[in-house]
Amino acid sequence: MLDILDGARERLARASDPVPCAVATIVSAQGSVPRPVGTSMLVGADGALHGSLSGGCVEGAVLEACREALETGRSSLRSFGFSEEDAFAVGLMCGGSLEVLIQPFAPPPPGTQSPLGTVSDPSPAAYVTRLPQESDAPPAAAPGGDDADGPRAVLLAGDGAEEVRGALTMLLPPELLEAGSAQVTAMLREARTGTLRLPAGASTIDLFVEPRIRPAHLVVCGANAFGQALVEAARPLALRITLCDHRPAFTDPTAFPGAEVVRDWPHRFLAAAAERGDLDARSMVCVLTHDPKVDVPVLATALRLDIAYVGAMGSRRSDHDRRTALREAGVDEEALSRLRSPIGLDLGAESPAEVSIAILAEILAVRAERRTVEPLRDGSGPLHARTAASG
């Protein structure tokens, strides 16, 4: 939901012509599926369509479900999976299965606020939805996507225990509030998207929790053609990108659209970023400077941090000399074993654009914990290692 939240807010808040919309969100997934839990697709009453849940194989059915929700004002859960009996049935040809939440949202009456907030609101910490169940009585349509018995979703501005508890009073009965608040708070702290199932007598109450996860941080050291190509190639990956170089003449921000450009020695910037909490276990550092007086200090700093990826560009000879210098700088062998140098996968890349693809391919492989990489056609396992996310 959070990936299309701004678009939904804008449609509902149009001053002259507010537009109702429906949002389809993947709330659970089994087996091989194209997109992860939390991915959403928006359908406007004016025919607008934004986002994708599966790359095409279930979009038609989801579109019809969203149109139905716009007509009835009712939320629903829909399941999609591969059918061995009917190859032409709506489903996922990749063999997995999805459960999709369909939610309608109507423009709020004058003087009231949409359940999605306003366009000027800051980014929420999370979106929590009480999932509809078959045992629920069919609700009457209500403005803004709320069912007749009260709100079905809340936006959380923060992840504090008291803040979560206060928001969940609109979704949970008093006897489940303490347990539900504790579990939702834990999911937010762990940045874990999924469904939380709470026992409620003979049935359950299911909450879908979607935290806003800050983007992973990619730090590119080196304002040159390779740095420029890497920034450009990384832009579609929803990363926070920083380009760092100490040379003022090379760090024109307009040359690196999509990146924060920092004029500083990379090792000083990296140390300060770590101190500020701007780096975490998902962060990546790519050193593309070809200059030992820059490379060695920043790599020594990076290899002492708990981050996902550290890579450096250079020939095998320069890599040998760089590793010797790093040892002399006090970097131990365990830390050196984490250095990806020469940087990138062996794809035969030569141009800056090609090298950027090789670097990003290696980053993806490291993030997926792939020690070796081979063509998909030569493998036999599932293409996507995602499983159902649930609390």
Side-chain angles (χ1 to χ4, degrees), residues 54 56-62 79-96:
S54 69
C57 47
V58 304
E59 262 69 10
V62 171
S79 297
F80 302 96
F82 177 72
S83 170
E84 293 283 1
E85 292 75 22
D86 185 358
F88 295 98
V90 174
L92 297 169
M93 298 308 296
C94 52

Side-chain angles (χ1 to χ4, degrees), residues 145-197:
D146 291 350
D147 293 340
D149 59 349
R152 307 293 293 194
V154 293
L155 289 169
L156 300 181
D159 60 4
E162 290 303 316
E163 195 165 17
V164 172
R165 182 183 177 89
L168 292 186
T169 57
M170 295 187 289
L171 301 181
L172 296 176
E175 64 271 18
L176 294 180
L177 191 56
E178 183 175 351
S181 298
Q183 293 183 61
V184 169
T185 300
M187 293 179 72
L188 300 186
R189 299 278 170 82
E190 298 166 8
R192 178 161 50 95
T193 296
T195 300
L196 173 63
R197 177 157 291 178

Side-chain angles (χ1 to χ4, degrees), residues 133-277:
Q133 297 176 307
E134 291 182 2
S135 59
D136 289 345
D146 291 350
D147 293 340
D149 59 349
R152 307 293 293 194
V154 293
L155 289 169
L156 300 181
D159 60 4
E162 290 303 316
E163 195 165 17
V164 172
R165 182 183 177 89
L168 292 186
T169 57
M170 295 187 289
L171 301 181
L172 296 176
E175 64 271 18
L176 294 180
L177 191 56
E178 183 175 351
S181 298
Q183 293 183 61
V184 169
T185 300
M187 293 179 72
L188 300 186
R189 299 278 170 82
E190 298 166 8
R192 178 161 50 95
T193 296
T195 300
L196 173 63
R197 177 157 291 178
L198 299 168
S203 62
T204 63
I205 292 178
D206 296 341
L207 298 181
F208 180 67
V209 183
E210 184 186 1
R212 183 177 289 280
I213 303 171
R214 69 174 184 172
H217 196 170
L218 170 64
V219 179
V220 180
C221 304
N224 52 35
F226 291 97
Q228 193 171 28
L230 182 56
V231 167
E232 182 176 359
R235 274 207 308 270
L237 302 184
L239 302 172
R240 175 186 176 185
I241 306 173
T242 300
L243 185 287
C244 184
D245 197 299
H246 65 287
R247 302 169 297 174
F250 293 86
T251 48
D252 179 0
T254 62
F256 302 93
E260 170 193 12
V261 177
V262 175
R263 293 169 181 163
D264 197 356
W265 285 88
H267 69 281
R268 295 198 309 200
F269 165 76
L270 208 60
E275 183 69 22
R276 291 192 303 269

Side-chain angles (χ1 to χ4, degrees), residues 1 75 101 103-105 114-117 126-131 144-147 150-156 167-168 170-171 207-208:
M1 175 65 178
S75 301
L101 170 65
Q103 294 174 284
F105 295 96
S114 164
L116 298 182
Y127 183 67
V128 183
T129 308
R130 178 170 168 173
L131 299 182
D146 291 350
D147 293 340
R152 307 293 293 194
V154 293
L155 289 169
L156 300 181
L168 292 186
M170 295 187 289
L171 301 181
L207 298 181
F208 180 67

Side-chain angles (χ1 to χ4, degrees), residues 15-160:
S16 59
D17 183 27
V19 178
C21 63
V23 177
T25 304
I26 299 174
V27 296
S28 71
Q30 296 280 355
S32 181
V33 295
R35 305 296 303 278
V37 169
T39 302
S40 292
M41 171 176 145
L42 180 146
V43 176
D46 58 354
L49 182 65
H50 299 283
S52 171
L53 299 187
S54 69
C57 47
V58 304
E59 262 69 10
V62 171
L63 176 61
E64 290 306 313
C66 287
R67 287 172 174 166
E68 179 182 332
L70 286 168
E71 292 177 1
T72 65
R74 296 174 183 171
S75 301
S76 63
L77 278 175
R78 305 293 179 96
S79 297
F80 302 96
F82 177 72
S83 170
E84 293 283 1
E85 292 75 22
D86 185 358
F88 295 98
V90 174
L92 297 169
M93 298 308 296
C94 52
S97 62
L98 297 175
E99 192 169 33
V100 178
L101 170 65
I102 311 294
Q103 294 174 284
F105 295 96
T112 63
Q113 182 171 310
S114 164
L116 298 182
T118 65
V119 176
S120 60
D121 286 343
S123 296
Y127 183 67
V128 183
T129 308
R130 178 170 168 173
L131 299 182
Q133 297 176 307
E134 291 182 2
S135 59
D136 289 345
D146 291 350
D147 293 340
D149 59 349
R152 307 293 293 194
V154 293
L155 289 169
L156 300 181
D159 60 4

